[in-house]
Amino acid sequence: MKMWSGRFRQPLDPEFERWQRSLDFDRRLLGYELDASAAHARALKSAGILSPEELIAILQGLEQIGERAAASAVFLDDPEAEDVHHFVEKQLAALIGDVGYKLHSGRSRNEQIATDLRLYVRAAIDQLRHELSKLCNAIVDRTELAGDAAMPAYTHLQKAEPVLIAHWLLAYVEMFLRDGERLADCRKRLNLCPLGSGAVAGATLPLNRMAMAQSLGFDAPTANSIDATSDRDFAVEFVDVLSLLAIHLSRWAEEMILFSTQEYGFIGLPETYSTGSSAMPQKKNPDLLELVRGKTGRIVGNATALLVNMKGLPLAYNKDLQETQQLLFEPADTMLQMLPLVTGFMKSVEFHQEAMERAAQSGFMNAWAGATYLVNRGVPSRLAHERIGKVVALAIERGSELHELPLAELQKISPAFRDDFYDSLKLSSVLALHDVVGGTAPERVRKALGLAREKIQSLREEVHAHA
Ligand code: ARG
């Protein structure tokens, strides 16, 4: 039986009927649909609509539906069911008879789908935060192994200043921890229960909304039935957060790809996450990294598509909102598949620390430290910059590094140069110079590492608290 056939004299065009169905993709919401239906059934019993026996029959029926779905995927292949809500109603009536049709008393699919999707996003957030904590841990482990080894940092993709490899890796940890926080923030805002909102104006029966909310782990009921049935902000926020996370991963992937080239030679691609070429026998290609970068486009596309779907929708529910489902599922699936692979890659990628250290000592990346030496000797910064610029020009002319220039030559450029200038150019001095919170001086990086560990630990604890 359809959920709405009474007022219709003609059957649906069969192609239209097939085309407008959502069961193919909303079947994955079945578990949430069953939980939400159980909460609604209990509220119906408290409101005097269901007898205690009827409630038990419905709850048992819902449980059986869950068991059958778990036992066999084809159970959900019901060509007559319009969507997961209709599917449950049909199955319930088949299992327990007409009492099953009492479940829908006083509720609407509009509040149901809004509820199911919130439950889905909440669970996805918890899983994603768990995966993020594992990724951050893997990066921090690599950070520890890197010790005080240095590498070049780039601006404009030109060699800029040496940094600790650990400092570079911790930059990614910061990004991913922010992504974790954004997910938590999104979770906080979405954790309100639409049940009892009805189709648009609120339930037509005196349902205890607080009890329904609590039984599903929501903080409270939503405040406005019109908003609750038409709101998909949580989906937009969630996919936006995922697109920013995807962009972080994409930047990471791009950098790893660059660093794996023979021209850089900073990292060795793990064979377990690379592929070869069918034509060129020597090739080892960074497929994982490229696919991570490539999937970002789709995730950002989904975020945009979700926004455009909502644009211009009059309040409240419109069937357009059915289209938000796949736009939401796809990026969550992609991210949940991708994060463990990225973690695996980070655990097994090789860092060629000697090559990185070597690269950290060429290209005049100690020039600013050289200027700082002059500043400390009282030369005004702008003039110090100018003088060291001249020293760099001289070194370029001679094909040497700064420390290879004789003192006599340097003193022609500025009388402030002394013998100890050469110490200030050493890699260890240059690193130590950046002795501020958030800087790359080894002691600062060690502290940052400890703090990152703490932040990851609290992320893990929050995830566990929600499990
Ligand atoms: N399958 C629908 C969706 O995803 C469920 C809500 C249907 N509501 C309605 N009034 N037709 O949006």
Side-chain angles (χ1 to χ4, degrees):
M1 187 174 182
K2 288 211 182 312
M3 297 180 96
W4 43 260
S5 47
R7 66 95 68 215
F8 282 76
R9 298 226 176 102
Q10 288 187 35
L12 288 187
D13 172 271
E15 265 182 48
F16 169 64
E17 170 147 36
R18 270 195 299 280
W19 180 75
Q20 56 92 44
R21 294 172 72 232
S22 54
L23 186 64
D24 281 348
F25 48 86
D26 66 17
R27 59 172 63 193
R28 65 191 294 158
L29 298 173
L30 181 72
Y32 307 120
E33 175 71 10
L34 295 173
D35 291 346
S37 291
H40 178 72
R42 288 195 200 92
L44 285 177
K45 145 88 180 25
S46 305
I49 304 295
L50 294 179
S51 70
E53 297 73 33
E54 287 171 333
L55 173 64
I56 289 172
I58 287 178
L59 292 180
Q60 286 176 346
L62 292 172
E63 211 174 300
Q64 271 189 48
I65 295 172
E67 283 164 9
R68 287 197 188 181
S72 136
V74 292
F75 174 59
L76 277 142
D77 292 338
D78 178 348
E80 277 166 20
E82 199 172 303
D83 53 25
V84 68
H85 323 291
H86 185 208
F87 175 81
V88 169
E89 179 171 286
K90 272 189 66 197
Q91 294 299 329
L92 196 60
L95 281 168
I96 65 171
D98 279 359
V99 175
Y101 290 130
K102 287 198 172 188
L103 174 62
H104 208 58
S105 313
R107 76 171 178 176
S108 156
R109 284 182 291 168
N110 299 352
E111 60 180 298
Q112 286 172 259
I113 187 62
T115 305
D116 294 354
L117 289 177
R118 282 177 190 246
L119 289 171
Y120 165 82
V121 175
R122 192 176 73 185
I125 286 176
D126 292 345
Q127 277 174 280
L128 284 163
R129 294 184 81 217
H130 180 60
E131 290 304 332
L132 275 176
S133 76
K134 290 202 280 189
L135 172 58
C136 288
N137 258 332
I139 303 177
V140 166
D141 287 345
R142 297 310 301 262
T143 301
E144 260 163 20
L145 285 179
D148 286 351
M151 65 181 286
Y154 301 83
T155 65
H156 313 266
L157 203 52
Q158 306 289 326
K159 277 187 169 182
E161 293 186 273
V163 292
L164 292 198
I165 295 175
H167 196 52
W168 166 61
L169 289 172
L170 286 175
Y172 285 104
V173 173
E174 284 301 311
M175 292 178 230
F176 297 138
L177 285 173
R178 281 200 299 275
D179 294 320
E181 277 172 30
R182 268 185 282 268
L183 284 171
D185 189 50
C186 173
R187 188 190 201 283
K188 203 163 42 190
R189 224 175 344 271
L190 74 73
N191 205 28
L192 300 173
C193 185
L195 288 190
S197 297
V200 57
T204 53
L205 296 167
L207 301 177
N208 184 341
R209 295 197 62 207
M210 191 48 111
M212 290 194 284
Q214 277 170 356
S215 75
L216 293 168
F218 285 113
D219 296 328
T222 49
N224 179 297
S225 61
I226 303 174
D227 176 49
T229 48
S230 61
D231 169 38
R232 295 293 181 276
D233 288 6
F234 59 93
V236 172
E237 277 190 59
F238 173 64
V239 180
D240 274 349
V241 172
L242 291 190
S243 53
L244 191 46
L245 167 57
I247 282 168
H248 293 151
L249 288 167
S250 184
R251 295 182 76 174
W252 166 82
E254 170 63 12
E255 207 165 42
M256 286 288 171
I257 291 169
L258 272 178
F259 288 173
S260 74
T261 58
Q262 289 178 27
E263 286 69 19
Y264 278 85
F266 290 176
I267 68 161
L269 294 172
E271 292 197 359
T272 42
Y273 294 99
S274 307
T275 65
S277 154
S278 63
M280 296 165 280
Q282 84 283 11
K283 292 290 291 279
K284 182 166 69 166
N285 293 327
D287 291 39
L288 175 129
L289 301 168
E290 290 167 312
L291 285 173
V292 166
R293 194 177 55 185
K295 286 184 191 292
T296 301
R298 291 172 58 171
I299 296 177
V300 173
N302 280 40
T304 306
L306 264 176
L307 277 174
V308 180
N309 173 283
M310 304 292 295
K311 177 185 174 299
L313 287 190
L315 297 179
Y317 179 85
N318 298 271
K319 187 96 170 197
D320 312 43
L321 292 176
Q322 184 166 288
E323 294 292 310
T324 61
Q325 293 192 33
Q326 286 157 298
L327 292 174
L328 174 62
F329 300 149
E330 283 162 8
D333 287 344
T334 302
M335 201 48 92
L336 280 166
Q337 290 160 5
M338 206 151 77
L339 284 175
L341 296 173
V342 170
T343 302
F345 181 98
M346 273 317 277
K347 284 185 178 165
S348 40
V349 64
E350 265 176 66
F351 291 112
H352 297 153
Q353 292 195 12
E354 322 75 63
M356 291 165 109
E357 282 251 331
R358 218 178 308 119
Q361 298 178 67
S362 64
F364 313 117
M365 287 195 294
N366 48 6
W368 195 359
T372 306
Y373 169 88
L374 290 182
V375 166
N376 285 332
R377 295 192 46 82
V379 180
S381 158
R382 182 54 52 230
L383 302 181
H385 184 289
E386 203 52 32
R387 301 285 176 273
I388 295 291
K390 294 215 156 42
V391 172
V392 170
L394 182 65
I396 292 172
E397 228 172 77
R398 304 238 170 129
S400 73
E401 288 290 330
L402 302 186
H403 68 270
E404 288 162 343
L405 297 171
L407 186 59
E409 297 280 344
L410 295 174
Q411 283 174 339
K412 282 190 214 152
I413 295 174
S414 165
F417 285 116
R418 296 272 185 279
D419 234 1
D420 56 353
F421 174 63
Y422 295 98
D423 273 346
S424 77
L425 296 179
K426 286 188 181 143
L427 179 59
S428 55
S429 315
V430 179
L431 291 168
L433 201 55
H434 300 271
D435 186 18
V436 290
V437 173
T440 199
E443 209 38 58
R444 297 291 183 170
V445 175
R446 257 187 290 284
K447 288 213 181 85
L449 187 67
L451 285 175
R453 281 257 187 241
E454 278 171 30
K455 288 189 212 163
I456 298 168
Q457 187 53 30
S458 48
L459 171 59
R460 287 170 76 93
E461 278 160 19
E462 277 175 50
V463 174
H464 279 303
H466 287 143

